[in-house]
Amino acid sequence: MNRKTNRRGAVAAPARRTRMSAALLTLGMTCAAGAHAQSLETQAATGTAAPSESVVINLINLLVKRGVLTQQNANELISEARTEAAQAKAANGSSAGWLAAAAVVNAPTQPGDVAVPYVPQVVRDQIRDQVKQEVIAQAKAENWAQPNTFPDWVSRIKIDGDLRVRDEYRFFGSGNANNVTNFAAINQGGGFDINPNTNTTQLPTQNTTANRNNLERYRARLGVTALLSEQLSAGVQLASGNDNGPVSTTATAGGGWSKKSIWLNKAFFSYTPTPWMNVLAGRFDNPFFSSDLLFSNDLEMDGLAANFRHALPANPDVTLFGTLGVFPIQYTSDNFPSNSTDKVGGDTKWMFGAQFGAEWKINSQNRLKGALAYYDFQNFRGTLSSPCALYLGATSCSTDNEAPAFMQGGNTLIALRNIVQNPNLAPGLTPQPQLFGLAYNYRLLDIKAQWDTVVANRVKLRLDGEFVRNLAYNEDKAFNAASLPVNNYESTSVNATRADYRSGPNGFLAKATIGEPEPTSKGQWNFSVGYKYLQPDATLDAFTDPDFHLGGTNARGYILAASYAVARDAWLSARYLSAKEVYGPPVTIDVLQLELNARF
């Protein structure tokens, strides 16, 4: 029966016991060439024998006393040593080797005695080295000689995460309009009857007047990445969040101390077939060189993307990079419409993205990076449905699937449902439960530049600039459609005309950061000031920064921020975001955020 090795390294397996006996035999032959022969088995059996002239016996007794060997192991070692000595003696007359040259001293004088031969120093060194190599090899194979090492799969797993605790304040201007319609809430509720003759309930509105102080909020993210091969890895990440919205993983405390939700934030494969190319598939970080002008910093993207990065052979200080990707954003339900046997075909909303840029390391203190990107959001523009007789029991209309899955506010919207009047009711008394969709498509041309330099030979300075334009913006097309825009008018009158309409396709960001852009070591700091401007239809409001003007487009204002690292990968930060509308009724929103951050 095989025996196992205990944690202290005691010899139990036959193979290791054989090596131990060989080592002890060698030591005995080395140190006791002239010793008086004794009955080894008899002395070792007691475990408490008096000190002997035999080094072997003394060593075995000490090993038994210290618990390295059991008494049974000691007896077995002595027995094996005696057997091997007899075998060596028998082979002495016919075999070549180191025992043939050994001079036997004190030959056995009575049964049970063991003869200890003399072994030359060179032979002893060879035996010692051989035993040492075999023991070390077995120790490494069984992982008992290196207690601080781990199995191979552990070294291929990487765990990372971050934690942020925030105290947030929201201040609303005293002159703000208080009747800003919350179209996102209408769509999420499945529609709202906008006919004042059949529904006297107030339209859902956004809070624009009541301040919010001391909002304790936090963000927690934990990810695992596994290296499957030198080229392939896989990763997942869990994150906090109030809901399944795409732009924020921040959760608000409270709720009666109820437990908080955890969401699947990332799930991806990463494949690197060459050093200059990486392919991502699944749900992963934004692969583009961009800022929160277009995409929130917490935004993760679903789809397939390929990143390229390669230095010029003629000038390694210049690196070309690029990203190509296709991203599904919203699928039509397989069963839409649920109350009809005539199902709608696939009308998936996609984003196709392409970006190309260059990074130039001018010298040790200056680096310039710039990129040109094109983002094509397809099938986002809403259309008026075919005549929809909800009064006959229909629960949906033909273009309900064109309502955006998520909105923050700012984009121009149209009504999607062409609701048929109930002929059994007087004119104007048919309920109008309406959904809303986007009035424009979005094809974005984006230019971004970044310059890193050093001021006074010791303080880092980073300058960021970005400009975006929606090439699909066309007011004529919007006002010639079957369904006209319902928001972004200067006038709040229901009789507002195109002359009152205000929107635009442009946006830009300018920002300066002095100090370490991302503090990681204790004592590092930074301070930044930025200005952001986004016309209502410059980009999709769904994916922008949720903190500036509390999310969306149709916003302009400045951002002040500062950070200080209090320990390695732990820092304090403060941000003040002051924003107001670009067009339309006055809505001024200031946000103050005080944070403690850590990553690992």
Side-chain angles (χ1 to χ4, degrees):
M1 179 180 296
N2 291 333
R3 300 179 183 175
K4 296 183 179 179
T5 305
N6 62 33
R7 295 182 62 86
R8 297 179 57 186
V11 179
R16 291 173 60 186
R17 189 171 62 243
T18 300
R19 293 189 181 93
M20 180 68 80
S21 63
L24 294 175
L25 180 60
T26 301
L27 182 60
M29 290 187 295
T30 303
C31 302
H36 179 68
Q38 304 180 52
S39 176
L40 304 181
E41 187 172 5
T42 301
Q43 293 188 34
T46 65
T48 57
S52 168
E53 295 181 3
S54 171
V55 175
V56 175
I57 291 298
N58 291 336
L59 179 58
I60 291 177
N61 287 336
L62 288 174
L63 291 176
V64 172
K65 288 180 180 180
R66 298 194 178 187
V68 178
L69 293 175
T70 64
Q71 190 63 58
Q72 181 180 356
N73 291 150
N75 294 340
E76 292 174 354
L77 283 173
I78 297 302
S79 177
E80 288 184 12
R82 185 175 61 209
T83 301
E84 291 177 3
Q87 292 174 350
K89 179 180 179 181
N92 188 41
S94 58
S95 302
W98 60 271
L99 286 177
V104 178
V105 182
N106 292 337
T109 60
Q110 60 184 4
D113 288 347
V114 176
V116 180
Y118 169 76
V119 182
Q121 182 64 41
V122 62
V123 177
R124 283 181 278 166
D125 292 343
Q126 291 175 354
I127 295 174
R128 180 195 62 203
D129 293 341
Q130 181 179 358
V131 172
K132 179 179 178 181
Q133 291 173 4
E134 291 180 359
V135 172
I136 291 176
Q138 182 176 357
K140 289 182 177 180
E142 298 178 1
N143 206 34
W144 54 267
Q146 303 179 67
N148 293 325
T149 61
F150 301 94
D152 175 66
W153 66 268
V154 175
S155 64
R156 295 186 286 110
I157 298 294
K158 175 186 176 183
I159 298 177
D160 62 86
D162 62 86
L163 177 65
R164 179 181 69 200
V165 177
R166 170 190 291 172
D167 188 20
E168 182 169 306
Y169 299 78
R170 299 173 181 176
F171 308 111
F172 299 92
S174 58
N176 284 359
N178 62 358
N179 60 345
V180 178
T181 302
N182 189 341
F183 290 100
I186 292 176
N187 281 1
Q188 290 171 1
F192 186 87
D193 184 4
I194 61 174
N195 187 348
N197 297 321
T198 57
N199 183 14
T200 59
T201 304
Q202 171 68 46
L203 281 166
T205 58
Q206 298 177 4
N207 173 32
T208 57
T209 57
N211 293 343
R212 292 290 184 266
N213 298 325
N214 291 116
L215 286 174
E216 183 180 340
R217 313 188 76 200
Y218 57 85
R219 181 184 69 185
R221 299 183 293 192
L222 181 64
V224 177
T225 303
L227 182 64
L228 306 178
S229 70
E230 292 185 358
Q231 292 81 29
L232 183 65
S233 62
V236 295
Q237 185 189 70
L238 302 178
S240 57
N242 282 336
D243 51 47
N244 64 350
V247 294
S248 177
T249 53
T250 301
T252 303
W257 290 355
S258 59
K259 291 183 285 293
K260 308 305 179 184
S261 299
I262 295 295
W263 306 89
L264 180 63
N265 197 43
K266 288 195 287 190
F268 65 90
F269 282 102
S270 176
Y271 179 59
T272 308
T274 67
W276 51 269
M277 178 181 179
N278 181 54
V279 179
L280 294 165
R283 180 174 176 83
F284 43 82
D285 291 334
N286 177 5
F288 297 98
F289 174 52
S290 62
S291 71
D292 60 8
L293 180 70
L294 302 183
F295 303 120
S296 166
N297 291 330
D298 279 0
L299 181 68
E300 306 292 335
M301 295 185 176
D302 300 328
L304 179 68
N307 293 108
F308 308 88
R309 186 177 181 86
H310 196 277
L312 290 179
N315 187 356
D317 290 331
V318 177
T319 300
L320 302 181
F321 65 89
T323 301
L324 298 173
V326 54
F327 309 89
I329 296 178
Q330 184 176 337
Y331 291 105
T332 297
S333 171
D334 289 343
N335 294 319
F336 179 79
S338 61
N339 60 340
S340 173
T341 57
D342 186 16
K343 305 300 180 183
V344 173
D347 190 22
T348 303
K349 293 177 170 61
W350 297 89
M351 185 189 84
F352 296 91
Q355 183 180 63
F356 298 96
E359 182 176 352
W360 179 24
K361 185 179 179 182
I362 303 172
N363 53 43
S364 61
Q365 295 186 344
N366 290 274
R367 181 185 65 92
L368 184 62
K369 185 177 182 180
L372 177 68
Y374 180 74
Y375 306 107
D376 186 1
F377 294 89
Q378 294 194 353
N379 300 325
F380 272 78
R381 185 185 180 208
T383 55
L384 188 66
S385 72
S386 59
C388 185
L390 294 178
Y391 72 92
L392 293 178
T395 58
S396 61
C397 299
S398 61
T399 59
D400 282 5
N401 61 314
E402 296 179 6
F406 182 78
M407 296 189 298
Q408 295 192 89
N411 290 160
T412 300
L413 303 174
I414 63 169
L416 293 176
R417 289 176 168 177
N418 181 14
I419 299 174
V420 175
Q421 295 292 314
N422 186 344
N424 298 319
L425 297 176
L429 294 182
T430 299
Q432 300 284 316
Q434 194 58 256
L435 291 176
F436 298 90
L438 298 172
Y440 298 103
N441 279 317
Y442 292 84
R443 294 191 291 272
L444 310 182
L445 179 65
D446 181 73
I447 303 173
K448 177 170 171 56
Q450 185 179 84
W451 178 34
D452 285 299
T453 187
V454 176
V455 178
N457 290 322
R458 62 190 183 94
V459 180
K460 293 182 179 180
L461 173 65
R462 170 174 288 182
L463 300 178
D464 285 282
E466 187 170 7
F467 173 81
V468 62
R469 180 176 177 84
N470 178 15
L471 302 180
Y473 180 82
N474 188 324
E475 284 190 23
D476 290 336
K477 192 172 184 178
F479 278 90
N480 288 328
S483 185
L484 301 180
V486 298
N487 63 330
N488 289 334
Y489 292 92
E490 290 287 352
S491 172
T492 58
S493 170
V494 294
N495 298 317
T497 65
R498 180 175 178 178
D500 299 310
Y501 177 74
R502 297 289 185 274
S503 186
N506 300 319
F508 67 86
L509 168 72
K511 182 180 178 182
T513 303
I514 188 168
E516 191 67 34
E518 296 183 2
T520 56
S521 300
K522 183 177 180 179
Q524 291 183 340
W525 58 272
N526 67 37
F527 175 79
S528 66
V529 56
Y531 185 83
K532 187 185 294 187
Y533 178 92
L534 268 179
Q535 292 180 331
D537 292 295
T539 185
L540 282 170
D541 63 36
F543 305 130
T544 61
D545 178 12
D547 298 321
F548 185 74
H549 208 240
L550 294 184
T553 57
N554 192 23
R556 57 191 170 101
Y558 62 88
I559 305 167
L560 301 176
S563 298
Y564 180 80
V566 295
R568 176 184 174 184
D569 291 327
W571 67 100
L572 295 170
S573 63
R575 291 205 308 165
Y576 188 80
L577 305 92
S578 180
K580 61 181 180 179
E581 80 293 340
V582 177
Y583 304 118
V587 179
T588 299
I589 305 174
D590 293 347
V591 177
L592 173 63
Q593 298 172 337
L594 306 175
E595 301 172 344
L596 174 61
N597 304 266
R599 58 173 166 250
F600 53 89

